[in-house]
């Protein structure tokens, strides 16, 4: 769908205005050219405030060599070789793109686009046999597939010796792989992954590895000498604890896709993603 530019007047790029434009374009594929007074970089900044750091699809008229369907290539289809700057975000089952492209008169204009985002099978939902075979599942690999993560590892060279020495304990291996793979950001734009554990609940035997804006604390119960056997505990904003007999990556996988999980995101999104807080290469 393309919205005729004549239907758009001079506009103030508030977050509300950008959200209304996205609602107008979605949920399928759509694009529009914005009025000539709109600054493309201001538009990108507004979307970054909503969806985190973007990935670059087109810069100075050149398409990044890594752009494919898994990275939002569908956003470029309406503009052909006229795209000048396009940055993209994953948001559930949708790609969102913004930047600039040349119109039919050859003038560079701010543009906004959306496209359907699909993830390949498997792992739309959690397998019922997982409870019995959980120890044989590579939950980080499963998390990568659930979120459609295709970017290089964000922090592959983390030196864990220093924080583990400072904390006085080793940390779970799956958590360290998650930090190395995804870096700083949030699953489904909601569950923020701490780059090292927070210690303010340590007197209660808890180390906090993630949190949300609702002030829930996602922790490990640090019982025993083997951190890979630590269980997950969620402490709510009103200091109620809920325990889970699983590790970090398994907990996040189930939280994202299992509609019966107490903290499920499956009620809100059919397709999941990781929101970057730092811009991708």
């Amino acid at each position: 769908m393309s919205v005729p530019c004549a239907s758009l007047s001079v506009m103030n790029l508030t977050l509300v205005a950008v959200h209304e434009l996205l609602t107008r374009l979605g949920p399928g594929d759509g694009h529009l050219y914005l009025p000539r007074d709109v600054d493309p970089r201001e538009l990108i900044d507004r979307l970054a405030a909503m969806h985190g750091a973007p990935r670059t699809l087109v810069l100075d008229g050149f398409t990044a060599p890594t752009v494919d369907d898994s990275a939002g290539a569908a956003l470029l289809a309406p503009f052909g070789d006229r795209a000048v700057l396009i940055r993209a975000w994953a948001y559930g089952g949708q790609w969102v793109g913004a930047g600039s492209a040349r119109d039919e008169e050859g003038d560079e204009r701010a543009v906004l686009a959306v496209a359907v985002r699909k993830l390949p099978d498997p792992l739309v939902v959690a397998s019922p046999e997982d409870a019995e075979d959980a120890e044989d599942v590579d939950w980080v690999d499963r998390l990568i597939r659930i979120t459609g993560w295709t970017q290089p590892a964000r922090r592959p060279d983390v030196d864990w010796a220093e924080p583990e020495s400072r904390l006085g304990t080793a940390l779970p291996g799956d958590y360290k792989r998650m930090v190395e793979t995804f870096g700083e950001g949030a699953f489904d734009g909601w569950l923020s992954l701490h780059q090292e554990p927070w210690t303010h609940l340590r007197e209660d035997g808890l180390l906090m590895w993630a949190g949300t804006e609702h002030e829930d604390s996602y922790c490990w119960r640090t019982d025993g000498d083997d951190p890979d056997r630590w269980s997950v505990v969620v402490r709510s904003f009103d200091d109620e604890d809920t325990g889970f007999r699983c590790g970090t990556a398994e907990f996040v996988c189930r939280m994202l896709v299992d509609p019966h999980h107490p903290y499920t995101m499956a009620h809100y999104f059919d397709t999941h993603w990781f929101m970057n807080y730092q811009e991708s290469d």
Side-chain angles (χ1 to χ4, degrees):
M1 176 189 73
S2 175
V3 177
C5 58
S7 67
L8 298 171
S9 60
V10 174
M11 59 185 301
N12 182 15
L13 277 184
T14 63
L15 291 178
V16 171
V18 174
H19 178 75
E20 288 178 350
L21 288 173
L22 291 173
T23 301
R24 189 171 166 187
L25 281 176
D29 297 347
H31 73 282
L32 55 84
Y33 283 84
L34 297 178
R36 287 176 169 77
D37 67 310
V38 173
D39 181 348
R41 296 188 182 275
E42 182 182 357
L43 176 62
I44 289 170
D45 288 344
R46 292 293 182 270
L47 282 162
M50 298 166 65
H51 299 307
R55 64 180 71 190
T56 300
L57 304 188
V58 178
L59 182 64
D60 295 331
F62 294 96
T63 301
T66 56
V67 173
D68 57 18
D69 289 342
S70 69
L75 292 169
L76 305 182
F79 309 113
D81 60 1
R82 293 176 288 115
V84 178
L85 170 68
I86 303 293
R87 299 190 187 271
W89 297 261
Y91 179 72
Q94 187 178 56
W95 287 108
V96 177
S100 64
R102 292 184 175 83
D103 62 16
E104 294 179 354
E105 287 75 37
D107 296 328
E108 186 176 344
R109 303 262 299 280
V111 295
L112 187 64
V114 297
V116 174
R117 176 176 177 258
K118 296 180 180 179
L119 292 181
D121 291 334
L123 305 180
V124 177
V125 295
S127 303
E129 66 272 12
D130 283 348
E132 298 178 4
D133 300 331
E135 292 187 1
D136 298 326
V137 173
D138 185 333
W139 290 101
V140 177
D141 178 69
R142 177 162 289 196
L143 187 56
I144 289 169
R145 287 185 284 162
I146 288 172
T147 57
W149 182 261
T150 60
Q151 301 183 54
R154 301 297 292 146
R155 300 187 62 200
D157 300 322
V158 177
D159 180 5
W160 290 104
E162 192 278 330
E164 289 181 329
S165 175
R166 181 161 27 84
L167 292 166
T169 180
L171 296 171
D174 61 346
Y175 162 77
K176 292 190 285 189
R177 284 180 61 200
M178 288 165 62
V179 170
E180 292 164 6
T181 301
F182 295 100
E184 189 175 0
F187 294 97
D188 281 9
W190 172 251
L191 182 69
S192 294
L193 179 64
H194 298 332
Q195 300 301 282
E196 65 175 72
W198 294 9
T199 59
H200 64 284
L201 297 176
R202 198 159 193 179
E203 290 184 358
D204 297 336
L206 301 175
L207 282 177
M208 182 178 171
W209 55 268
T212 70
E213 62 184 30
H214 282 187
E215 300 183 3
D216 290 334
S217 300
Y218 293 74
C219 311
W220 302 293
R221 176 75 64 189
T222 57
D223 293 336
D225 296 329
D226 184 356
D228 290 326
R229 293 191 174 276
W230 290 348
S231 59
V232 170
V233 173
V234 179
R235 174 163 292 186
S236 67
F237 67 93
D238 54 359
D239 291 331
E240 292 291 330
D241 288 352
T242 304
F244 298 85
R245 297 179 61 185
C246 66
T248 319
E250 178 181 354
F251 175 88
V252 177
C253 287
R254 294 189 180 280
M255 176 183 178
L256 294 180
V257 301
D258 183 354
H260 304 296
H261 192 282
Y263 295 91
T264 186
M265 297 301 294
H267 291 166
Y268 306 101
F269 301 103
D270 295 324
T271 304
H272 305 278
W273 79 104
F274 185 80
M275 175 193 288
N276 290 300
Y277 292 162
Q278 296 180 330
E279 188 163 335
S280 304
D281 297 332

